[in-house]
Amino acid sequence: GALAALMTAPDGSENKKIAYLQDRKSIRVLDLVTGISVATVDHDSKVDWLELNPSATKLLFRDKRRNLHLFDIPTQQRCTLLSYCSYVQWVPMSDVVVAQNRDNLCVWYSIEAPERVTIFQIKGDVEDIERSGGRTEVIVDEGINTVSYRLDEALIEFGTCMDSGDLVRAVVLLEQLEVSPETEAMWTTLCNAALAAWKIPIAERCCAALGDSAKAHFLRKVNEAAEDARRAGLEDPSQHYLVRARMAMLEKQFSVAESTLLEQGHVDEAMEMYQELHRWDEAIAIAEQKGRPETEELKTSYYQWLLDTGQEEKAAQLKEREGDVDTAIRLYLQGGLPARAAALAQMPSYRQTPEMMETIAAALSKAGLHDKAGSFFERLGMAERALEAYRRGFAYRRAVDLARQKFPREVVALEHEWGMYLVSQKQLDAAINHFIEAGQYVKAIEAAIQARQWSKAVQIVDTATLEPPVAERFYKVVAQHFEETKNLDSAEKFFLKARAPQEAVEMYTRANKWDKAHKVAVTYMSEDKVRMLYVAQAQRLEGGGRLKEAEKLYLMVKEPDLAINMYKKNKLYDHMIRLVGQHRKDLLAETHLHLAQQLETEGKFKDAERHYVDAGDWKSAVNMYRAHDMWDDAIRVAKAQGGVNASKQVAYAWAVSLGGEAGAKLLTKFGLIEQAIDYATESNAFDQAFQLARTSMKSKLPEVHLKHAMYLEDEGRFREAEEEFINAKKPKEAIDMYVHQQDWAAALRICENHDPGSREEVLLARARAELDKKNLPQAEGFFVDARKPELAVKMYRDARMWDDAIRVARTHEGTLGMGAAYELQQERARAMAAPDPGGDQDAMAPGRMWEESREYSKAIDAYLKVTNRQVRDVEYLEEVWEKAVELAMNHVHARIPEVVSEVSRRLVEVQRYEQAAEFLEGIDAHKEAVDVYIKGGLWDKARQLAKTAAPQLAGHVESEYRRIMGGGSSSGPPPSAAACDGL
């Protein structure tokens, strides 16, 4: 794009310029009148907009980054006006710029002062600038409405006046405006234009408006001089010498003003000008040049003014030029310039005095110019004072040179001081050699180390004579440096020189150089130290999370248990198992099991399963899943590890846990028909059991019928149970059911219909039942019907009914033999001769009969039916009851507690305390046994039992003993004689 500016300049010349893009990043401004390129602007990004102002003195352009720039063509200066610029435009026929930055409308009324900008807050985007009818408005589109912002026409008009050269009109416009940053910039622009056009009154007015009263007053004098020249008949007052001189002063061109005045012979005015400016040298130079008589007076006044204003240096220079050296030296000293004074004092033409020399030297020292003071003393031959001054001024080179000539013994101390000074100044490299010259090898090494001159430091340590601990300390520092720079071999060498092999080992460990670390350790350290070092280092690595490296260290010193424990603490069980398998194979299974149990408690069942299996205890894994109702996993493990049968067992357990129909369905799902049937019967779900058996396993039908029959029997539904027993082809069980219920007719009916061979058993059972009821004749008939006459004989014999026994034996001699009756007669004779223990009948007979029939529970009941009301012989009673206990112990374990308790109670009633307590001891009823002993007064027995079997009862025994023996309750028998003897 290109933009041209065409206008007529105030001087009437034609002004035609054009600005265009040479390429996307460079702009050229061309004067169309002369054809000369006025300016070329190179930019660092693409330019997307440019425009010249009407006078073609300013160029605005914007780049792709939305930055707005201003280029001043006359001065070739560029500045950035605005960032994020979305709109920019010159106000038509003016030098006012309008631009938008986000929500800000920016207006530059005076583009000569880019920093002075007026900002309005807007809510939309600028669309255009309209200028007509003495009004200038910026049109802003706010979306729904279009809003116009009016600009200050007076400020815009000022620019037009400046372009046309109408400065008077510009003054009138500015006087109507309030003072603001914009108007101040415009007054400044107008002032500069007025001075350039020699409009002195207008410039004076501008300075007054700006508050620059000094400049306004000066311009007033210039204007008065111009008026005087005009009244004197000069057509162009600006050419008057006084006006030209004053304008040169205003522009600080004092040499031009001086020439103008001297050309006109106005020496006094030229000198006065310089005096007002306190430029006495130029005034004195003019006076001397023109040979003015007041030159000396002027010099004196200048000298006095210098002294009055504290400018001793210039006063001294003045006296020095006049050749008054003494006065110059004093002024230099007075002005705090002793070095200049010393330089003057050393001039060959100056006659030195001791007092002055001392004064100068003291001033040099006081001013801190010790090196110059030293040189001054040295020239005066004062070597000691010179050396001291050099030391104070840290001029050690000159001090050492002087000491070598005058004080050789001080050289070493000076070298040391020089080194220390260089260290304080951070010049460590330079300090090293001075410490060596001074014999301070430790400090030389420290300086070399701080300067990172490692080879130099090693060289000094190797060559210097140092105590071993000192040398080792420095070797260690050097080794640490080489470790930092990854030069591990050199670091190892110096660690070994420092007698610190453990640090070399640690270094290699940190660098994962395990082989080198081990080599150094076993070569230079004892086995115990190696172990301690490796363990400590491994623990540090463990703390830092570097477990793999820690493991290597533990294994290098044969401490696998520490590595195993490390992985255990960090719950890295795979690594733990790996090490146990490699180093503790005997504990592998136990470790797997321990981990499995721990993981199970943490709820990590899959991991626990794996360890259970690896430990060879897969059943525990199954039980774990069962305990947490994870039956699918339990079955999976059982099948994988124990085979199909094991999985079926788990499935069955699952079914049991579900219960009822759901359990049976589950077993069916797993193909466990038999187990499903068994489970259904055990769950009393017989309909389902029959259905499964009929459809899938008919061979199980009899078993189902049998279990159903037993269930019905337990429910008391005997007729239904009978049918089921028959269906199960188990008539014997049906017969036993009716025998148990003593429904003899039903039992015999089944015998006749289904099991004739069981008829004799039914008759025998009925005979025993009659015997229990003491219906011996009826019992006899049933024994005979069952073809067991010998049992009828035995029944009568046990009941001591010898006549009936002999009768039955004679009646059935064919079955019992010819001698049976005779033997009974003989037995009766013997029995008649002996006393009858229990009366007419033997109390133990029913029990023996049931015992012979192996009906042990009924035998126990028969024996317990014998009481002390029926039999008076206590010994016989004890024998009967002991028989009941014996049967319970040997054959009916479920009744042991019941029988023992009952027999013990009866024995206590008949005062057989010791026998009763022994029975209770036999079933571990220690408390009851102790109480029986106490009741029987058997204190020794009670104490012995408490001591050996129930220590917690010892206090109870003693408490009862004190209560009874001390006159407490008198219940129970008195203490036995044995107990009293014990006391």
Side-chain angles (χ1 to χ4, degrees):
L3 187 134
L6 307 174
M7 66 172 293
T8 301
D11 59 1
S13 62
E14 194 175 19
N15 183 9
K16 295 181 179 180
K17 293 185 177 68
I18 185 171
Y20 62 92
L21 289 174
Q22 286 183 307
D23 55 44
R24 299 303 299 272
K25 294 185 179 181
S26 63
I27 305 170
R28 186 180 183 188
V29 181
L30 181 65
D31 189 332
L32 298 176
V33 177
T34 62
I36 299 174
S37 177
V38 177
T40 300
V41 182
D42 293 321
H43 197 49
D44 57 358
S45 63
K46 295 179 181 179
V47 177
D48 66 356
W49 182 90
L50 75 161
E51 187 175 2
L52 286 167
N53 69 335
S55 60
T57 57
K58 308 287 184 183
L59 172 65
L60 281 175
F61 66 92
R62 185 183 67 184
D63 59 28
K64 288 291 186 181
R65 299 173 183 168
R66 298 291 177 179
N67 292 325
L68 180 62
H69 305 275
L70 174 67
F71 183 76
D72 188 292
I73 295 174
T75 62
Q76 302 285 302
Q77 298 294 319
R78 177 171 58 180
C79 66
T80 301
L81 289 182
L82 195 64
S83 299
Y84 305 107
C85 176
S86 58
Y87 177 89
V88 59
Q89 193 68 47
W90 292 100
V91 173
M93 300 307 296
S94 74
D95 286 347
V96 177
V97 177
V98 175
Q100 182 178 359
N101 164 262
R102 293 176 176 170
D103 294 335
N104 298 319
L105 177 64
C106 305
V107 181
W108 286 266
Y109 287 106
S110 177
I111 199 62
E112 297 292 342
E115 72 279 359
R116 304 293 177 86
V117 58
T118 302
I119 299 177
F120 302 93
Q121 295 292 323
I122 62 176
K123 296 182 179 179
D125 297 325
V126 177
E127 284 191 342
D128 197 8
I129 301 173
E130 295 181 354
R131 189 176 189 192
S132 62
R135 293 168 61 91
T136 303
E137 295 180 339
V138 179
I139 309 303
V140 178
D141 182 7
E142 294 186 349
I144 300 176
N145 301 318
T146 299
V147 180
S148 61
Y149 290 84
R150 186 174 180 179
L151 302 184
D152 193 324
E153 190 64 30
L155 296 179
I156 297 174
E157 183 67 24
F158 172 79
T160 304
C161 293
M162 293 299 296
D163 291 338
S164 63
D166 189 355
L167 302 185
V168 176
R169 172 66 178 162
V171 171
V172 173
L173 289 173
L174 291 179
E175 286 178 340
Q176 297 174 2
L177 302 175
E178 295 181 359
V179 178
S180 66
E182 291 81 4
T183 57
E184 286 184 359
M186 292 177 179
W187 280 113
T188 302
T189 302
L190 180 57
C191 181
N192 294 333
L195 289 174
W198 285 87
K199 303 290 185 179
I200 306 301
I202 295 176
E204 178 187 346
R205 176 68 183 89
C206 293
C207 291
L210 291 169
D212 191 349
S213 57
K215 190 173 183 180
H217 181 68
F218 186 82
L219 289 173
R220 173 67 61 84
K221 289 184 179 181
V222 174
N223 194 33
E224 289 174 353
E227 290 296 327
D228 291 341
R230 185 178 293 108
R231 284 193 294 270
L234 189 63
E235 291 183 4
D236 187 3
S238 63
Q239 297 301 316
H240 190 271
Y241 77 93
L242 189 56
V243 174
R244 288 190 290 111
R246 288 187 181 276
M247 291 303 292
M249 293 180 196
L250 185 64
E251 296 174 1
K252 295 182 174 57
Q253 298 177 4
F254 301 112
S255 59
V256 174
E258 175 190 340
S259 300
T260 302
L261 292 172
L262 292 180
E263 286 175 359
Q264 299 297 322
H266 292 277
V267 177
D268 291 337
E269 285 80 354
M271 293 173 60
E272 183 180 354
M273 175 187 70
Y274 282 124
Q275 289 179 36
E276 288 179 357
L277 296 171
H278 297 292
R279 299 177 68 165
W280 293 92
D281 291 337
E282 289 85 345
I284 292 171
I286 293 173
E288 289 179 342
Q289 180 184 355
K290 299 299 181 179
R292 303 287 291 198
E294 65 269 22
T295 302
E296 291 300 325
E297 182 182 352
L298 190 61
K299 288 182 178 180
T300 304
S301 298
Y302 179 37
Y303 176 69
Q304 188 61 43
W305 179 78
L306 290 174
L307 294 178
D308 292 342
T309 57
Q311 300 183 57
E312 287 84 359
E313 182 180 1
K314 288 189 175 182
Q317 292 172 355
L318 180 62
K319 290 300 181 181
E320 186 178 349
R321 287 195 297 270
E322 293 176 353
D324 189 353
V325 177
D326 283 334
T327 304
I329 290 174
R330 284 196 298 273
L331 287 173
Y332 278 132
L333 293 175
Q334 185 178 348
L337 298 168
R340 299 284 294 274
L344 281 179
Q346 295 177 35
M347 292 176 60
S349 60
Y350 176 66
R351 188 173 59 186
Q352 300 175 351
T353 62
E355 294 80 4
M356 181 60 73
M357 295 297 105
E358 283 291 338
T359 302
I360 294 173
L364 287 170
S365 298
K366 185 177 180 181
L369 302 173
H370 299 291
D371 54 340
K372 294 185 179 296
S375 178
F376 189 72
F377 283 129
E378 192 173 351
R379 285 194 178 93
L380 295 177
M382 301 178 181
E384 291 184 2
R385 297 188 64 181
L387 183 62
E388 182 181 356
Y390 285 141
R391 275 177 159 163
R392 289 183 180 178
F394 306 112
Y396 288 106
R397 185 178 303 282
R398 302 180 70 175
V400 169
D401 292 341
L402 177 60
R404 285 187 177 131
Q405 296 175 11
K406 303 293 185 178
F407 312 103
R409 293 183 179 180
E410 294 291 326
V411 173
V412 173
L414 284 170
E415 291 283 359
H416 181 225
E417 291 179 19
W418 195 353
M420 294 300 294
Y421 171 72
L422 291 173
V423 169
S424 68
Q425 298 300 309
K426 307 301 180 184
Q427 300 180 32
L428 302 171
D429 292 348
I432 298 172
N433 290 329
H434 295 293
F435 282 132
I436 294 174
E437 292 291 334
Q440 298 290 331
Y441 298 111
V442 172
K443 292 183 178 179
I445 297 168
E446 290 174 345
I449 290 173
Q450 292 181 31
R452 307 192 71 79
Q453 297 288 338
W454 303 101
S455 57
K456 186 73 172 177
V458 172
Q459 180 183 357
I460 298 171
V461 175
D462 289 340
T463 57
T465 303
L466 299 173
E467 293 292 329
V470 176
E472 291 168 6
R473 175 165 62 91
F474 289 120
Y475 279 133
K476 186 179 295 186
V477 174
V478 173
Q480 290 168 350
H481 157 71
F482 283 120
E483 180 184 359
E484 292 174 359
T485 59
K486 306 302 180 183
N487 189 350
L488 303 186
D489 292 335
S490 298
E492 176 193 340
K493 179 177 74 174
F494 288 108
F495 273 131
L496 296 179
K497 281 190 174 184
R499 298 183 181 179
Q502 68 278 7
E503 296 198 23
V505 173
E506 293 177 0
M507 173 192 71
Y508 280 129
T509 302
R510 287 190 291 270
N512 296 328
K513 303 286 186 180
W514 309 106
D515 294 336
K516 289 189 174 183
H518 191 62
K519 179 180 178 182
V520 173
V522 299
T523 304
Y524 296 96
M525 299 171 64
S526 66
E527 184 176 349
D528 289 341
K529 288 185 177 180
V530 170
R531 192 190 70 80
M532 292 174 62
L533 174 64
Y534 272 45
V535 169
Q537 182 66 16
Q539 289 171 346
R540 284 195 293 272
L541 291 172
E542 179 182 346
R546 300 168 60 186
L547 305 184
K548 201 67 180 177
E549 292 89 338
E551 175 194 336
K552 290 182 179 179
L553 291 181
Y554 283 133
L555 297 182
M556 280 186 177
V557 293
K558 299 179 181 179
E559 289 289 352
D561 291 341
L562 296 178
I564 292 169
N565 190 51
M566 171 187 71
Y567 283 126
K568 179 183 178 183
K569 288 189 295 185
N570 289 276
K571 297 186 178 181
L572 297 175
Y573 301 125
D574 290 341
H575 291 292
M576 175 183 173
I577 290 297
R578 172 176 54 81
L579 292 180
V580 172
Q582 293 174 358
H583 302 280
R584 294 287 185 269
K585 291 184 178 180
D586 54 325
L587 299 176
L588 184 59
E590 182 180 345
T591 304
H592 274 302
L593 193 59
H594 173 75
L595 286 180
Q597 293 168 350
Q598 181 174 336
L599 290 167
E600 180 180 351
T601 60
E602 296 174 1
K604 299 176 180 178
F605 302 121
K606 289 292 184 183
D607 294 334
E609 171 197 332
R610 180 163 55 86
H611 287 290
Y612 275 130
V613 171
D614 290 343
D617 190 5
W618 60 269
K619 292 183 179 179
S620 294
V622 172
N623 291 332
M624 170 188 72
Y625 283 129
R626 287 178 58 184
H628 294 86
D629 290 330
M630 300 171 69
W631 292 97
D632 289 328
D633 290 304
I635 291 172
R636 173 180 54 78
V637 174
K639 186 174 183 180
Q641 303 299 326
V644 176
N645 290 334
S647 67
K648 290 182 178 180
Q649 292 177 7
V650 176
Y652 183 78
W654 188 1
V656 172
S657 69
L658 290 175
E661 184 177 352
K665 288 182 178 179
L666 179 69
L667 290 172
T668 305
K669 171 186 172 183
F670 283 97
L672 303 175
I673 301 300
E674 185 175 358
Q675 290 85 344
I677 294 171
D678 291 340
Y679 179 72
T681 57
E682 291 173 5
S683 302
N684 299 328
F686 292 104
D687 291 340
Q688 186 176 9
F690 281 124
Q691 181 180 357
L692 290 173
R694 290 189 184 106
T695 57
S696 303
M697 190 175 284
K698 293 183 179 180
S699 60
K700 291 283 286 186
L701 271 174
E703 183 179 344
V704 176
H705 281 296
L706 177 61
K707 290 183 178 180
H708 191 203
M710 295 169 66
Y711 166 76
L712 292 172
E713 179 185 358
D714 293 338
E715 292 292 312
R717 297 157 63 183
F718 304 115
R719 188 67 182 177
E720 297 174 49
E722 174 190 339
E723 293 179 4
E724 288 299 290
F725 279 129
I726 299 303
N727 291 334
K729 298 180 181 180
K730 296 288 185 179
K732 182 69 169 62
E733 280 71 9
I735 294 169
D736 290 341
M737 173 186 71
Y738 282 128
V739 168
H740 184 71
Q741 298 299 323
Q742 297 190 0
D743 187 350
W744 310 110
L748 290 173
R749 173 172 52 77
I750 295 173
C751 289
E752 292 174 1
N753 296 330
H754 301 283
D755 189 8
S758 297
R759 183 175 180 281
E760 292 182 0
E761 293 184 11
V762 173
L763 294 174
L764 288 174
R766 186 170 185 182
R768 295 189 183 98
E770 295 298 333
L771 175 61
D772 289 339
K773 296 176 184 178
K774 306 300 183 182
N775 296 327
L776 302 188
Q778 291 85 346
E780 175 192 342
F782 291 118
F783 279 133
V784 172
D785 289 344
R787 300 176 184 178
K788 295 290 184 179
E790 65 274 13
L791 293 179
V793 172
K794 183 176 185 302
M795 173 187 69
Y796 284 129
R797 185 187 59 193
D798 291 340
R800 297 178 180 268
M801 298 174 67
W802 302 105
D803 294 338
D804 291 316
I806 294 170
R807 174 179 57 78
V808 173
R810 287 176 177 169
T811 303
H812 299 280
E813 284 183 352
T815 303
L816 298 177
M818 297 299 291
Y822 177 75
E823 290 179 0
L824 287 171
Q825 290 175 350
Q826 296 296 319
E827 187 176 351
R828 181 179 63 176
R830 291 192 297 272
M832 295 298 291
D836 182 3
D840 297 333
Q841 297 179 353
D842 186 357
M844 294 181 68
R848 289 196 189 100
M849 182 191 68
W850 289 115
E851 188 177 347
E852 290 173 358
S853 302
R854 298 185 179 276
E855 296 284 349
Y856 298 112
S857 183
K858 292 182 178 180
I860 291 172
D861 293 336
Y863 287 134
L864 291 179
K865 285 181 180 179
V866 180
T867 65
N868 55 358
R869 287 190 292 273
Q870 300 169 347
V871 178
R872 291 183 297 277
D873 187 347
V874 175
E875 295 291 341
Y876 185 69
L877 283 173
E878 183 178 347
E879 180 184 353
V880 173
W881 293 336
E882 285 181 358
K883 190 65 176 176
V885 172
E886 179 184 345
L887 289 177
M889 292 285 189
N890 295 331
H891 302 288
V892 192
H893 298 111
R895 296 189 63 182
I896 290 176
E898 169 206 344
V899 174
V900 170
S901 297
E902 179 61 24
V903 170
S904 297
R905 183 186 64 78
R906 294 184 182 185
L907 289 172
V908 169
E909 289 179 356
V910 297
Q911 297 187 0
R912 295 285 184 171
Y913 301 109
E914 185 171 359
Q915 292 81 351
E918 287 176 355
F919 281 135
L920 291 171
E921 282 188 56
I923 62 170
D924 295 330
H926 300 121
K927 174 66 167 59
E928 292 78 1
V930 166
D931 289 339
V932 170
Y933 281 134
I934 291 173
K935 190 170 184 179
L938 303 171
W939 298 102
D940 290 341
K941 293 279 188 180
R943 289 190 181 98
Q944 183 64 27
L945 177 59
K947 180 179 179 181
T948 57
Q952 69 274 14
L953 298 176
H956 171 66
V957 173
E958 298 303 325
S959 175
E960 289 296 303
Y961 178 78
R962 287 191 297 273
R963 183 179 67 82
I964 295 173
M965 300 302 292
S969 175
S970 59
S971 62
S976 63
C980 294
D981 292 343
L983 292 175

